Amino acid sequence: MKVKKIDHICIAVKNLDEARKIWEPVLGKSKPDDEYIDESEKIKVARYWVGEVGFELMESTTDDGDVARFIEKRGEGVMLLSFNVDNTRKAMDELQKKDYPFIGGARSFRDSEFAFVHPHKMNGVLLELIDYQWKEFEGRK
């Protein structure tokens, strides 16, 4: 498995609008570079580009979502680190052979797949692997 780059870092927040007021001045942004709601993951996201790394603020859309449970257990803060890989399923196969446990299987996001390595194996860090190609950066300097 080859990690191509840090894809994104996610911050779990209780209130996305309030978190934006805190983070946008620090990031030098007046609005997110990408906003979306992922119904299946139960999250509302504001993504900002810091170089070619995504910095994401995530709010749960339900009381039983993963972000809500994370905040209930640990409070607001860094929830996950995501590595960009060539192929999520191949990376999963390789790591599973080395006894890395995954939470569920590969999941879809836009034209890609992602998967989570259990934080118990990763020093308490929820690690995501994603094979999104980020065509948004083509031709950008």
Side-chain angles (χ1 to χ4, degrees), residues 5-83:
K5 69 174 194 162
I6 293 175
D7 194 89
H8 61 278
I9 299 165
C10 293
I11 310 297
V13 301
K14 293 177 184 176
N15 183 303
L16 189 58
D17 292 331
E18 292 302 314
R20 286 181 56 186
K21 291 176 189 174
I22 293 168
W23 284 98
E24 286 176 357
V26 173
L27 297 168
K29 307 271 185 169
S30 59
K31 64 179 182 156
D33 295 304
D34 184 18
E35 290 181 276
Y36 64 91
I37 295 174
D38 187 327
E39 303 273 343
S40 63
E41 296 297 320
K42 302 177 184 178
I43 54 173
K44 181 177 179 183
V45 177
R47 176 186 290 138
Y48 305 87
W49 296 118
V50 180
E52 290 191 2
V53 175
F55 179 84
E56 298 184 356
L57 301 173
M58 298 189 311
E59 175 186 341
S60 186
T61 57
T62 67
D63 291 338
D64 66 339
D66 291 337
V67 172
R69 289 196 314 265
F70 176 89
I71 290 171
E72 184 178 311
K73 185 176 180 180
R74 297 186 178 177
E76 293 180 295
V78 176
M79 183 173 171
L80 74 83
L81 174 64
S82 178
F83 287 157

Side-chain angles (χ1 to χ4, degrees), residues 86-99:
D86 287 321
N87 184 295
T88 297
R89 288 181 186 261
K90 286 182 182 177
M92 287 178 70
D93 288 343
E94 184 177 328
L95 290 177
Q96 285 172 327
K97 289 175 186 171
K98 296 175 182 176
D99 295 323

Side-chain angles (χ1 to χ4, degrees), residues 96-130:
Q96 285 172 327
K97 289 175 186 171
K98 296 175 182 176
D99 295 323
Y100 285 79
F102 282 79
I103 300 171
R107 307 176 197 188
S108 296
F109 175 74
R110 296 181 179 166
D111 293 330
S112 69
E113 290 185 313
F114 66 96
F116 295 110
V117 180
H118 201 286
H120 287 121
K121 181 71 172 187
M122 304 306 301
N123 303 104
V125 176
L126 179 59
L127 177 64
E128 178 185 73
L129 305 176
I130 188 166

